[in-house]
Amino acid sequence: MAKPKRVGIYVRISKDRKGRELGIQRQENSCRELCERLGWGVLRVYSENDVSASTTSRRSRPAYAEMLRDARDGLVDGIVVHSIDRLTRRIGELSSFLEEQREHGFAFATTEGEDTSTAGGRMVLTIKGAVAQQETERMSERINASLLQRRERGEPHAGGKRQFGFEEGSHFQALDETEVELIGEGWRMLTDSSPKTPGDVARYWNATGSTTPQGRAWTIQSVKRVYRSERTGGIITYKGQDIGDSVYGAPLTRHQWERVQTVLDSRATPAARDSGKRKHLYSGFLRCGGCGSTMRVQWATVQGRTFRRTFCHSGQNGRDGRLGCGKVSRSYAWIEEQLDALVEAAFASRPPRRRADMPSEDLAGGITLLEHRVQALRNRWKEGGMEDEDYFASLAHLRAELHTLRSRENAADIRPLRPETDTLAVWKDDGPENLGRRRALVATVIDHVDVFSVGRGRRKPPEITSIAVTPAS
C-alpha cells in the first residue's frame, strides 16, 4: 500500500475541567511523531476536547463524524490516533469503523502499534476495544453505586442549576431564607380555605421583586416547577424512585409537598383540547366533512370585509394519514352561533350538580404503620440483614402504598375547600381570559363537528344539516 499523503489525526479527551487542552496537545504531538517516522503527510487534525466516547454518553461527536465523512469522500487517505480508546470505547462503533476502513481502503495507525492489515491485528484491536468498553461500563457501575449510597444517606445529588429556595453554590445543602418564606407563603395561598391559583402566586412573587434563579419574571409554569420538584419537599429520588428524605433542610416538609401535589393535580385539566394556543372557541373540534381532517379557523379579509372562516387545508393530514381535500371553506360565525346554542341548551338541561357527602376515613393509623415499616426496613438493610435487590423492591412497594394513603388523606382535606362551580355562569363568561375553561366545557358536550360544503355564491343562511355534531361520550 502506498504511503498516505493526506492523513487525518483524531485526538479526543473525555474530561478537561480547566479547558487548557493539554491532553489533546500531547496526543497530537505523539501522533505527528508517528507520522514523521512512517513518512505519512498530515493534512489536518480533528479535535474533540471534553467529549466522551463511552457507551453511557449521549453527546454527538461532530469531529469524528466529519473525519469519517472525509475518509469516505477520499479527502483523507489515512487516520492516526493515539490509542484505540481515544477513537472509541464502543465495540459496535469500532466494528463499524473497521468496516469503513475495509470498504474505503484508507490507512489506519495508532501510536501503540496496532496493525489492521491482517486478521490477527484486527482481532487484537477488537479485543482492546472490548476491554475499553468494559472499563467505561465498570466505571459507570461504580459511579452509580456511589450515587445510590449518597442518596440512601439522605444526601441529594449536588449537580445541576440552582433551584429556588436554595443558596447559590451550596449544592442544595443551605436554604435561602427569603426565598423559603416566599415558597411557604405561596403554599399557604394554594392550600388555603379560599385557594388561590399558581398565577396568583406568580403575581405575588413578582410584586415582591423576586425573580427565578435565571433572573426572569415568574410565570404559572415556573411556579409549578418549584412546587413540583421533589427537592422542594426534601425528598431524595434515584432513577425516579423515592428512597428517603434529605438530611439537609428543605423549603417544605414532605407532608406539605404531597399536599400541594394534590392541589395541583386537582387543578390540572387535559391539554388535548386546549394547548394554550387556541384563539377560537371551536378550533380543534371542527372536521372536514369530506376528508375528515381538522379544519383551521382564522381571520380573513375579502373585498374589504373582515370575517372569520374555517377551512380544510390541503397540506394537512386527514383521515388515514392522507392530505386534506381543501374543498370545504365556510364562514365561522354561523357555525359558532349554532354550536353556542347547542352547548348552552345542554348545560341548561342538566340538573344542578350537588357535592356528594364523602364519608370521612381515618388514614393516620395506616400512614403511621407504613412509616414504621419503612424505617424498620431501612435499619435492617443498613445492618446487612437483607440484599440490596430485596431492599429496594420492598422499599418501592411500601413507598407506593404510603403515597396512596397520603394522597387520599390530602384529597379528603382539600375536597371541602373547593367551591361549587356554576357551569352555566362559566359558559356565559365569554371574556378572552375564560376561553380555556369554555373550551373544556365544550369538550364535555361535543366530541367533534363535521362541516360540509354549501357551495359558492349562496345568499341565504346554510341548512342546519350542513354540520353534523357528534356528542361527547
Side-chain angles (χ1 to χ4, degrees), residues 162-166 178-180 182-183 205 210-213 218 226 232 251:
R162 185 180 87 85
Q163 183 173 311
F164 191 68
F166 297 89
T178 302
E179 295 179 354
V180 169
L182 290 176
I183 292 174
W205 286 0
S210 173
T211 62
T212 68
W218 288 102
V226 171
T232 301

Side-chain angles (χ1 to χ4, degrees), residues 88-160:
T88 181
R89 286 182 177 268
R90 306 179 186 183
I91 189 64
E93 195 170 57
L94 176 59
S95 299
S96 177
F97 176 84
L98 294 176
E99 184 63 26
E100 293 274 4
Q101 185 203 10
R102 185 193 64 78
E103 181 179 351
H104 299 284
F106 55 85
F108 175 70
T110 74
T111 61
E112 296 180 346
E114 282 87 357
D115 179 15
T116 60
S117 62
T118 65
R122 289 191 293 272
M123 181 189 70
V124 171
L125 198 65
T126 302
I127 293 174
K128 286 189 174 183
V131 172
Q133 176 170 320
Q134 182 199 33
E135 289 178 355
T136 61
E137 290 177 350
R138 290 182 63 185
M139 183 184 301
S140 176
E141 290 174 355
R142 290 194 297 269
I143 292 174
N144 286 333
S146 174
L147 291 176
L148 179 56
Q149 289 178 351
R150 283 178 53 86
R151 304 291 208 287
E152 280 298 324
R153 292 196 301 266
E155 300 175 6
H157 179 53

Side-chain angles (χ1 to χ4, degrees), residues 274-319:
D274 186 11
S275 63
K277 298 180 180 180
R278 303 290 189 183
K279 298 181 181 179
H280 307 279
L281 183 58
Y282 297 103
S283 60
F285 291 90
L286 306 181
R287 297 184 185 178
C288 175
C291 65
S293 64
T294 301
M295 301 181 69
R296 299 186 181 183
V297 181
Q298 68 177 24
W299 287 94
T301 302
V302 177
Q303 296 180 349
R305 185 171 63 92
T306 300
F307 62 100
R308 286 179 297 171
R309 67 169 184 143
T310 179
F311 63 100
C312 175
H313 196 282
S314 58
Q316 183 169 309
N317 287 335
R319 192 176 292 135

Side-chain angles (χ1 to χ4, degrees), residues 351-369:
R353 186 163 59 100
R354 298 181 179 274
R355 185 184 302 279
D357 293 330
M358 301 293 293
S360 59
E361 52 180 341
D362 185 9
L363 302 174
I367 292 175
T368 302
L369 177 61

Side-chain angles (χ1 to χ4, degrees), residues 198-267:
D200 296 323
V201 176
R203 285 185 286 272
Y204 169 70
W205 286 0
N206 287 327
T208 64
S210 173
T211 62
T212 68
Q214 292 73 40
R216 302 187 182 96
W218 288 102
T219 63
I220 293 175
Q221 294 304 321
S222 58
V223 168
K224 285 183 178 180
R225 280 194 291 271
V226 171
Y227 288 105
R228 287 293 193 185
S229 173
E230 289 88 353
R231 280 176 171 161
T232 301
I235 300 172
I236 304 294
T237 60
Y238 181 73
K239 294 185 176 181
Q241 292 189 352
D242 177 358
I243 61 173
D245 299 320
S246 173
V247 296
Y248 308 111
L252 299 177
T253 65
R254 175 186 283 269
H255 179 72
Q256 289 175 325
W257 184 84
E258 290 177 343
R259 182 180 174 89
V260 81
Q261 302 315 298
T262 305
V263 173
L264 295 177
D265 290 342
S266 68
R267 297 192 60 87

